[in-house]
Amino acid sequence: MGMALISLDGTFLKLNSALCDLLGYDETELTTPSPTVRTLLDQIHKFNSLGSSLPSTSTDPQRLEVDYFHPTGRRLSLKVSISILLDDNGQPIYYFTQFENKTLIREMETQLQVVNSHLLEKESSFLQLLEELPQPVLITRGGIVLYANSAGLQLIHAESLDQVLGLSTMDIVDYSNYEILSERRKKFNTDRTTGSVCYLINCLNNQQKYVDGITLPIIYEGNEAFIGIFKDISEQVLEDERLIQSEKLSTAGQLAAGIAHEIRNPLTAINGFMKLLRSSERMNDKYISIIESELKRIEFIVNELLVLSKPQTTHISKPVDLLSLLEQVTTLMNGQAALKNLKILPVCTDHSIWINGEAYQLKQVFINLLKNAMEAMNHGGNIYIHVQTYDREARISVQDEGCGMTEEQINALGKPFYTTKETGTGLGYMITQNIIHNHGGAISVESILEQGTTFTVSIPTIITPEEPIM
Ligand code: ADP
Ligand code: MG
């Protein structure tokens, strides 16, 4: 540390070699100081004459920071502590000064300031960018909203940022989606991945919307946070539901002819037995039970048709007996098949197979596959339904002897509105695929032109349920 005694009029009286090194001059040079040293001394002197208003007995060091130009041209930042030495009468005699080189620290501080202001600048231009983004953006930390851009405010129908700040994601995401939310949090905690999201949300005006988006971890205002960029897909979801409904109605319409045919047979039987009953003297139990069973059959078919054309709003998974489901579907489709001179031949195992799912949706899958099979066969023939189980999976194949498909047709399968039929909707297969995926299954296709096509659905099975539903 550089030290010196300085006279009250501001000249060096005594100094150590560390100070000589610091200032860049030797001791003799410093007794007749260069202009820069002179300036330094003047600053100290001036500081002290200002400080002399302090009680002159004060021996506490005063601190001063000065810039000093070293003879090599470098600009140094010096910290000077000055104490006043007093004589026996308490009169100041000279200053005792200590010099510390603070240049490095000061330089680092300035650099830090520059970096900091760059960061602030970056953060503010980042926020500006977010503000102008047409997509809704929310930033959250610990599930609490810290920021929303104007598109974000619009999305949840907030009038101002105040209404949104501090809200919890649990206030925004619908109760029915809490599980998705907590799964995502768990997943992030284990493998640090976020990925895409799809939620049903509750807006501030109580409207519900479907949103799709991605979230990413970011540093926001110095701490870890999450940024979510969203898209309102409510229209799309509604449109999908409308499409499914139109396809359902068209299926129902197309099945109507077959169903009329299917109902005609029991009706003919009922008619016949009614005539017999009328002509016989006594009630005939056998006739009556035949009539009853035929009526049940009609009731079943009409009910199925109604269910098929009704929008399905509740989605509840239950254990479903696959074989009886297939039987119900074939019953429904037999009429249509007979009209086209086709036979549906189920080849099933004799034990029951249970899967977890929504019966009506699963029926829709097989109705769609059978309908396509029948539409591919214009000269009669057979449609085989094979059911096999492997490990924990059931495989159901629907095999037709129809026109088959080209490579191009196979590739286009599942694209909405792709159809080669004059009255087709091109939605059946897409819906089929969706339902199967929602049930954790898969579907594959094999086809030979002019020979036929086989669709194979594989779906996870469950152990026989305690409470059989159907
Ligand atoms: P749609 O039946 O209304 O045409 P789908 O989505 O059910 O719509 O089927 C799309 C297309 O896939 C059909 O138009 C047809 O070209 C082809 N396809 C589907 N199943 C079969 C099949 N079993 N045999 C031949 N072609 C098929
Ligand atoms: Mg179809």
Side-chain angles (χ1 to χ4, degrees):
M1 171 154 343
M3 289 187 276
L5 284 181
I6 299 176
S7 70
L8 293 179
D9 60 4
T11 53
F12 284 116
L13 299 173
K14 215 169 176 60
L15 59 154
N16 70 354
S17 61
L19 184 61
C20 295
D21 289 346
L22 186 62
L23 299 182
Y25 295 104
D26 64 28
E27 202 174 334
T28 47
E29 284 171 323
L30 283 175
T31 44
T32 47
S34 70
T36 53
V37 178
R38 192 63 259 161
T39 325
L40 175 69
L41 283 169
D42 285 350
Q43 271 175 288
I44 295 171
H45 181 60
K46 207 158 122 207
F47 177 79
N48 276 289
S49 38
L50 287 175
S52 63
S53 59
L54 294 164
S56 52
T57 47
S58 160
T59 47
D60 285 345
Q62 304 294 310
R63 291 198 174 80
L64 163 75
E65 215 162 311
V66 288
D67 280 339
Y68 170 74
F69 289 91
H70 193 271
T72 56
R74 236 186 118 206
R75 176 184 173 144
L76 303 182
S77 217
L78 301 181
K79 191 172 122 190
V80 193
S81 5
I82 309 157
S83 321
I84 305 172
L85 295 186
L86 307 175
D87 65 13
D88 294 342
N89 303 321
Q91 287 305 307
I93 20 181
Y94 35 65
Y95 308 121
F96 172 65
T97 55
Q98 287 174 300
F99 293 78
E100 254 180 285
N101 188 355
K102 291 278 180 189
T103 314
L104 214 63
I105 289 177
R106 293 293 167 259
E107 272 172 9
M108 274 161 68
E109 276 174 0
T110 353
Q111 266 170 21
L112 255 177
Q113 257 168 21
V114 171
V115 171
N116 230 335
S117 73
H118 274 331
L119 273 180
L120 282 176
E121 217 169 90
K122 265 198 188 147
E123 188 156 297
S124 79
S125 60
F126 169 67
L127 285 179
Q128 213 172 331
L129 180 89
L130 291 186
E131 199 47 49
E132 276 156 33
L133 218 59
Q135 279 86 6
V137 175
L138 291 184
I139 296 178
T140 59
R141 180 179 301 130
I144 301 295
V145 178
L146 301 180
Y147 168 83
N149 69 352
S150 40
L153 295 182
Q154 243 171 46
L155 175 77
I156 54 175
H157 292 270
E159 270 148 30
S160 66
L161 201 55
D162 300 347
Q163 291 183 294
V164 180
L165 295 184
L167 274 186
S168 152
T169 34
M170 310 272 276
D171 297 330
I172 301 172
V173 172
D174 187 69
Y175 176 73
S176 62
N177 283 183
Y178 279 5
E179 203 165 317
I180 309 179
L181 199 69
S182 72
E183 280 300 312
R184 283 170 49 76
R185 288 196 181 143
K186 249 189 258 163
K187 194 164 176 329
F188 180 76
N189 288 337
T190 50
D191 59 14
R192 309 286 296 169
T193 57
T194 50
S196 63
V197 292
C198 186
Y199 291 130
L200 177 64
I201 61 163
N202 296 314
C203 304
L204 297 187
N205 65 348
N206 290 331
Q207 191 186 340
Q208 291 203 311
K209 286 182 181 174
Y210 286 95
V211 295
D212 189 1
I214 49 162
T215 53
L216 293 168
I218 53 161
I219 298 296
Y220 177 70
E221 289 175 343
N223 280 309
E224 186 167 74
F226 288 93
I227 182 167
I229 305 170
F230 301 97
K231 194 174 151 201
D232 183 354
I233 54 161
S234 309
E235 265 308 303
Q236 200 182 319
V237 171
L238 274 181
E239 187 54 29
D240 286 354
E241 272 167 17
R242 265 181 237 134
L243 278 182
I244 290 175
Q245 188 50 24
S246 78
E247 165 71 11
K248 275 181 154 182
L249 283 176
S250 107
T251 307
Q254 285 161 17
L255 288 179
I259 282 162
H261 174 88
E262 191 70 350
I263 290 175
R264 206 173 47 199
N265 291 340
L267 279 179
T268 314
I270 291 171
N271 241 333
F273 284 109
M274 286 297 277
K275 274 190 189 130
L276 284 175
L277 270 181
R278 207 180 274 280
S279 62
S280 68
E281 310 273 285
R282 301 176 284 112
M283 284 300 265
N284 185 324
D285 277 352
K286 200 174 140 215
Y287 293 170
I288 291 196
S289 58
I290 293 177
I291 291 173
E292 269 173 0
S293 87
E294 293 299 305
L295 280 174
K296 279 222 170 76
R297 200 170 148 70
I298 294 176
E299 197 189 353
F300 168 76
I301 292 170
V302 172
N303 277 344
E304 287 292 288
L305 185 68
L306 284 179
V307 166
L308 188 66
S309 54
K310 232 172 48 194
Q312 216 64 49
T313 43
T314 50
H315 298 282
I316 303 159
S317 279
K318 286 178 182 164
V320 174
D321 178 354
L322 185 64
L323 297 185
S324 69
L325 182 135
L326 286 172
E327 199 187 304
Q328 288 170 19
V329 171
T330 37
T331 309
L332 190 70
M333 305 297 284
N334 270 334
Q336 182 86 355
L339 281 183
K340 292 197 74 182
N341 201 17
L342 301 168
K343 272 209 175 73
I344 302 175
L345 303 171
V347 185
C348 295
T349 51
D350 49 7
H351 56 86
S352 32
I353 301 166
W354 291 91
I355 56 182
N356 223 349
E358 292 173 57
Y360 289 120
Q361 298 240 15
L362 291 166
K363 276 183 196 172
Q364 180 101 45
V365 165
F366 297 107
I367 288 172
N368 288 349
L369 292 179
L370 283 172
K371 204 158 77 74
N372 280 347
M374 293 196 293
E375 284 161 358
M377 295 168 75
N378 287 323
H379 313 287
N382 295 327
I383 299 169
Y384 300 93
I385 303 179
H386 291 270
V387 184
Q388 279 168 300
T389 48
Y390 299 84
D391 200 16
R392 303 211 53 193
E393 180 182 279
R395 269 183 222 165
I396 311 101
S397 61
V398 176
Q399 181 188 359
D400 66 51
E401 301 172 333
C403 57
M405 300 170 75
T406 61
E407 188 79 29
E408 192 198 335
Q409 280 176 302
I410 293 178
N411 289 336
L413 264 179
K415 284 191 188 136
F417 308 115
Y418 172 77
T419 180
T420 54
K421 298 166 195 168
E422 226 163 82
T423 57
T425 59
L427 294 172
Y429 192 78
M430 184 190 80
I431 292 169
T432 301
Q433 239 177 355
N434 277 344
I435 296 175
I436 295 170
H437 287 162
N438 290 343
H439 283 79
I443 181 165
S444 63
V445 57
E446 272 171 77
S447 187
I448 302 173
L449 266 184
E450 307 302 333
Q451 287 196 25
T453 308
T454 307
F455 285 95
T456 306
V457 175
S458 44
I459 218 157
T461 54
I462 53 168
I463 305 162
T464 319
E466 285 149 23
E467 246 186 302
I469 303 298
M470 44 173 296

